[in-house]
Amino acid sequence: MKQTVDWHSHWTRKSPGFHEGQVNSYLEQFLPLYKLQPGDTIFMPLCGKAVDILWLSQQGYQVVGVELSEVAIESFFAESDIDFVKVQHENLVAYESPGITLYQGNYMNMQADYLTGCKLVYDRASIVAIESFNRKSYKLKMLDIVSPGTPMLLVTLDYDQTVMQGPPFSVPVSEVEELYLPEYQLELLQSNEQIEERPKWREIGLGSLLESALRLTANEV
Ligand SMILES: C[S@@+](CC[C@H](N)C(=O)[O-])C[C@H]1O[C@@H](n2cnc3c(N)ncnc32)[C@H](O)[C@@H]1O
C-alpha cells in the first residue's frame, strides 16, 4: 500500500486535529447493539492514541490496535499512566499491557493470529485516513485478518473533497457500502452535520461536513 500522507509529521504536533480527547459519542451510544461479553476482543485499526482504547479496556474488553506512529502509542500509554512491555514481532512491535495490545507499524502487516476471537472492528477516523486508491486493499486486508462476519462499527465523514484535500478524506456512506459489498450489509445508525463544530473547516470554504455512524453486519455470501 503506497502512502502519500506523512502521518509521522501529524504526530510531531502536540495534539493532532483528529484526536478527540474524549470517548467517542457514537461508540458509547451504539456499543450495546453488539451485545459483547466482558473479555471479548475489539480491534481498532489505525487507532492513534484514542481515549476509546482506555475506555473500552475499562469496560472489560480486550483491545487490539494497530498504529503507524510510535509517538502516538507511547503518548497513549504515558497519558493513560499504564505500563507496557514491548515485544518485537516480524514486522510490527507489540506494546502489551493487561487488556491492551497496540501494534506499532503498518496495518498491512497485521496478521490474523493477532486478532484471534475478535468480536468487533471499531473503525473511527480510520477508513477516512486511507487514500481512495488504497481503500480496497484496506478492506481486503481486514477480511484477511478478522474472522468472516465480524461486525463493525464505522464512523465516516462526507464533505466536498474539491474544497479540502484531506486527510481525513471524504468517504461517503455509499462508498463504504460499495466497498464492503458483498460481505457486509450496512445500517446507518446516525448522521450529524458537524460544520458548526469545525470552524477551521468552514474557513477553508466547506459548507457541510456530515459525520455518520454505520453498523456493518455480515451478509450471507
Ligand atoms: C485520522 S487518525 C485517527 C486515529 C484514531 N482512529 C482516532 O480516532 O483518534 C489516523 C491514524 O492512522 C494512522 N495510520 C495511517 N496509516 C496507517 C497505516 N498504514 N498503518 C497503521 N496506522 C496508520 C496515523 O498515524 C493516524 O494516527
Side-chain angles (χ1 to χ4, degrees):
M1 197 163 79
K2 184 177 168 290
Q3 285 194 287
T4 55
V5 180
D6 178 8
W7 286 103
H8 294 292
S9 74
H10 283 262
W11 283 106
T12 57
R13 296 173 204 159
K14 208 166 175 210
S15 188
F18 51 77
H19 178 64
E20 281 197 295
Q22 60 189 23
V23 180
N24 182 269
S25 60
Y26 302 114
L27 177 65
E28 263 190 296
Q29 192 180 344
F30 296 120
L31 187 63
L33 291 179
Y34 296 87
K35 301 196 182 343
L36 300 180
Q37 300 297 316
D40 281 349
T41 296
I42 299 177
F43 176 41
M44 293 178 58
L46 285 57
C47 60
K49 60 169 186 176
V51 173
D52 303 336
I53 303 167
L54 181 63
W55 183 77
L56 285 170
S57 88
Q58 288 168 341
Q59 309 307 302
Y61 303 114
Q62 301 286 321
V63 182
V64 178
V66 59
E67 167 55 50
L68 204 56
S69 165
E70 197 176 333
V71 174
I73 294 185
E74 297 203 345
S75 304
F76 167 77
F77 282 107
E79 289 166 19
S80 310
D81 202 16
I82 297 175
D83 293 331
F84 59 83
V85 290
K86 270 165 91 166
V87 181
Q88 180 69 53
H89 291 255
E90 200 180 338
N91 291 308
L92 298 167
V93 180
Y95 287 63
E96 297 181 354
S97 71
I100 300 174
T101 301
L102 303 184
Y103 289 92
Q104 187 267 314
N106 192 338
Y107 161 83
M108 295 304 286
N109 290 329
M110 281 296 282
Q111 296 183 12
D113 57 335
Y114 302 160
L115 290 167
T116 310
C118 173
K119 293 287 192 293
L120 174 69
V121 175
Y122 169 48
D123 177 326
R124 184 258 162 191
S126 311
I127 189 79
V128 299
I130 303 287
E131 293 98 331
S132 57
F133 52 83
N134 283 331
R135 282 177 209 143
K136 185 86 186 199
S137 310
Y138 173 87
K139 175 248 178 153
L140 292 175
K141 181 69 188 177
M142 191 69 78
L143 297 187
D144 252 14
I145 55 179
V146 299
S147 304
T150 305
M152 303 191 196
L153 172 61
L154 188 152
V155 181
T156 193
L157 293 173
D158 185 352
Y159 64 85
D160 184 350
Q161 190 85 83
T162 62
V163 176
M164 200 185 87
Q165 223 187 353
F169 302 105
S170 177
V171 187
V173 171
S174 56
E175 185 182 331
V176 178
E177 186 163 35
E178 213 171 294
L179 185 68
Y180 277 99
L181 276 173
E183 294 84 3
Y184 284 89
Q185 56 181 289
L186 181 154
E187 179 190 347
L188 178 60
L189 296 171
Q190 202 174 98
S191 282
N192 288 307
E193 178 54 65
Q194 291 288 305
I195 197 68
E196 294 305 332
E197 275 107 273
R198 312 275 181 113
K200 279 193 189 150
W201 293 41
R202 196 187 260 302
E203 277 164 32
I204 294 169
L206 279 179
S208 169
L209 171 68
L210 197 64
E211 190 176 59
S212 299
L214 309 172
R215 181 186 192 182
L216 276 68
T217 45
N219 262 329
E220 300 291 321
V221 279

